[in-house]
Amino acid sequence: SSGINAEYGVEHVLYAADLFVMSEAVDLCCKFLLRSLTPYNSLYTLRLGDRHRNKVLYDAALKMVSAQFTEVVKSVVDDHRAGCCLAVSSSISIHPVLCVDTTA
């Protein structure tokens, strides 16, 4: 969906804004992500909040995951069926990756 693509684009802007200490740009990115928060993208947003040490973003995403846990799990299962998995690279660093069957 175009929402997911926009979120991935915002991740790059957020990274650069955070790196160069551009507080207003960080705030705008976080506001966009908060407005776009759904059960489908809540784990992704949780990871961004954790990575960028943004408590507001992290807490909002965690609240969404907790409140809508069944929908979050359903979206993960649906993604898995579509060939997308979750990769966990740290305690909270969760991101979608394409799963490739190397046994074939």
Side-chain angles (χ1 to χ4, degrees):
S1 94
S2 62
I4 278 292
N5 291 334
E7 289 155 22
Y8 287 126
V10 167
E11 177 181 12
H12 298 294
V13 174
L14 179 58
Y15 174 79
D18 197 24
L19 181 67
F20 295 110
V21 193
M22 300 171 68
S23 302
E24 289 182 38
V26 168
D27 289 345
L28 288 173
C29 290
C30 290
K31 286 177 183 177
F32 172 83
L33 290 165
L34 289 170
R35 281 193 314 269
S36 305
L37 186 60
T38 68
Y40 179 77
N41 65 16
S42 58
L43 291 175
Y44 174 77
T45 305
L46 183 68
R47 178 182 60 87
L48 288 177
D50 181 56
R51 176 182 285 168
H52 295 283
R53 300 164 313 283
N54 187 294
K55 185 166 173 42
V56 172
L57 194 59
Y58 180 88
D59 288 349
L62 186 59
K63 184 176 178 180
M64 173 70 72
V65 170
S66 298
Q68 301 290 327
F69 188 74
T70 303
E71 286 300 310
V72 171
V73 170
K74 182 181 178 304
S75 71
V76 170
V77 169
D78 290 346
D79 281 352
H80 181 71
R81 288 184 182 144
C84 183
C85 300
L86 287 180
V88 180
S89 58
S90 74
S91 61
I92 286 290
S93 185
I94 304 169
H95 51 92
V97 296
L98 182 62
C99 294
V100 178
D101 183 4
T102 58
T103 62

